[in-house]
Amino acid sequence: MQPPSRRTFLALGLITLTTACTGTAGTDAATKAPAPDPDAPVRLRAVAATDTLLSAYDALLATPGAQTALLQPLRAETAQHRAALAQGIPAASGTPTPGAPTTAPSTTPTPATSAALATLERQTAQSHLADLDAARPPLARLLASIAAANALHATTLGAPTDQPDPATTPTPSPSATATGTALPALQQALSAEHAAVYGYGVVGAHLPDDQQRADARTSYAAHQAQRDAWQRLLTTLGTTPTPAAGGYRLPFPVTDAATATKLAAHLETRLTTVYADLVADLPTPHRRTAATALRDCTLRAHHWGAPTTPFPGVPDPAPTPTVTPS
């Protein structure tokens, strides 16, 4: 993860105040306490939950016959989560290194199996999502990304994939606060879903009539449902939803099953970035919906073979090809 920019520090209220050391005015300014970070309580809760999770990984890794090859990479990603969450909190600034012991609250039982650890990963994700509305936009984006990573960890540890039925994708409740700057972000998400629906039509056409094609149909239906949900919300808010383009240019030729699955992974990875940004752009009543979409795209991207990342949707922003209107 790239070091946060100065703009990020400004957004988080983590400004280092510098003053001259001469004169009474300089002395007064130097002794003046900096303004508290409004996100500090949320960060502390998230760090505490992550410490419990790290302690559980350490306990399981210490058991005879532990699946080190499986657990160590997940533990390392969790340590990265803690480091990102602890930024700007002196009391929580120490970052556990891989293999370093951590201390979990005595009231929390330490999982002794992968299944119990998967359950704790999901509980940690839920605790992060519960704080979305209390966090400022940059931290809300980070919490949603880490919650998506927790969900992927749980699946990797053997938990069933936790995805909603596409037929029951909810329509976010309209709110007056969803107007203004949030509308362009919603329209962008809708445009991305239009492109995904088109892209999955291409994916399905190049897959054999087996489980892969069935999975593509499920993903296609999920993106149709999410597209329709955004359209309904925008219509309810009195805005005309952005229509689908007449055609789309694929980021690379799709000619067989291998390139079809590559396209599916590309579509889902691109959408994780869209939805991570949407969590930050939306007002609090709608953040959970965007975070759920981020989680679902993260799980589908992994299913189609996309490389994993500790922070789904918030990687180093390198330019990548995309499905664009032709």
Side-chain angles (χ1 to χ4, degrees):
M1 183 177 182
Q2 293 295 313
S5 64
R6 183 174 183 275
R7 179 179 179 185
T8 300
F9 277 109
L10 290 173
L12 292 174
L14 307 177
I15 306 174
T16 301
L17 301 178
T18 57
T19 58
C21 295
T22 58
T24 303
T27 302
D28 292 342
T31 58
K32 184 178 180 181
D37 178 8
D39 280 333
V42 177
R43 287 185 178 275
L44 286 170
R45 286 193 293 271
V47 167
T50 307
D51 279 343
T52 300
L53 189 56
L54 284 167
S55 180
Y57 270 105
D58 292 336
L60 189 55
L61 280 164
T63 60
Q67 296 176 285
T68 304
L70 172 68
L71 297 174
Q72 282 287 15
L74 301 180
R75 201 269 183 201
E77 288 191 357
T78 304
Q80 289 180 265
H81 296 164
R82 187 192 190 279
L85 291 166
Q87 286 184 14
I89 306 177
S93 59
T95 303
T97 56
T102 56
T103 302
S106 59
T107 56
T108 302
T110 301
T113 66
S114 294
L117 185 57
T119 298
L120 186 57
E121 282 277 13
R122 284 187 166 175
Q123 291 172 348
T124 305
Q126 290 303 313
S127 70
H128 293 333
L129 295 177
D131 263 335
L132 283 182
D133 290 354
R136 288 183 294 173
L139 180 55
R141 179 174 181 256
L142 178 63
L143 288 170
S145 174
I146 293 175
N150 291 140
L152 182 54
H153 287 184
T155 300
T156 303
L157 289 165
T161 301
D162 184 16
Q163 294 194 45
D165 182 347
T168 61
T169 297
T171 300
S173 300
S175 168
T177 57
T179 58
T181 57
L183 289 178
L186 287 170
Q187 295 282 23
Q188 181 181 2
L190 174 58
S191 296
E193 289 293 355
H194 282 313
V197 169
Y198 174 88
Y200 267 103
V202 176
V203 169
H206 288 85
L207 292 176
D209 192 10
D210 57 11
Q211 185 59 48
Q212 275 195 320
R213 181 176 290 184
D215 291 344
R217 281 195 288 263
T218 299
S219 297
Y220 177 79
H223 287 295
Q224 284 183 314
Q226 189 63 71
R227 175 203 63 190
D228 295 346
W230 294 132
Q231 286 177 327
R232 288 192 296 269
L233 175 60
L234 286 164
T235 300
T236 304
L237 293 171
T239 300
T240 301
T242 299
Y248 292 86
R249 182 180 296 110
L250 299 177
F252 47 80
V254 178
T255 58
D256 53 20
T259 50
T261 56
K262 180 181 176 182
L263 177 60
H266 172 86
L267 293 170
E268 300 294 353
T269 300
R270 175 175 179 260
L271 280 164
T272 62
T273 302
V274 170
Y275 283 122
D277 290 342
L278 190 61
V279 171
D281 291 334
L282 286 180
T284 57
H286 307 294
R287 284 178 176 174
R288 189 65 176 262
T289 302
T292 299
L294 169 58
R295 179 205 65 191
D296 295 344
C297 292
T298 298
L299 294 174
R300 284 192 292 261
H302 177 70
H303 172 78
W304 292 113
T308 59
T309 170
F311 302 97
V314 288
D316 183 21
T320 56
T322 184
V323 178
T324 54
S326 58

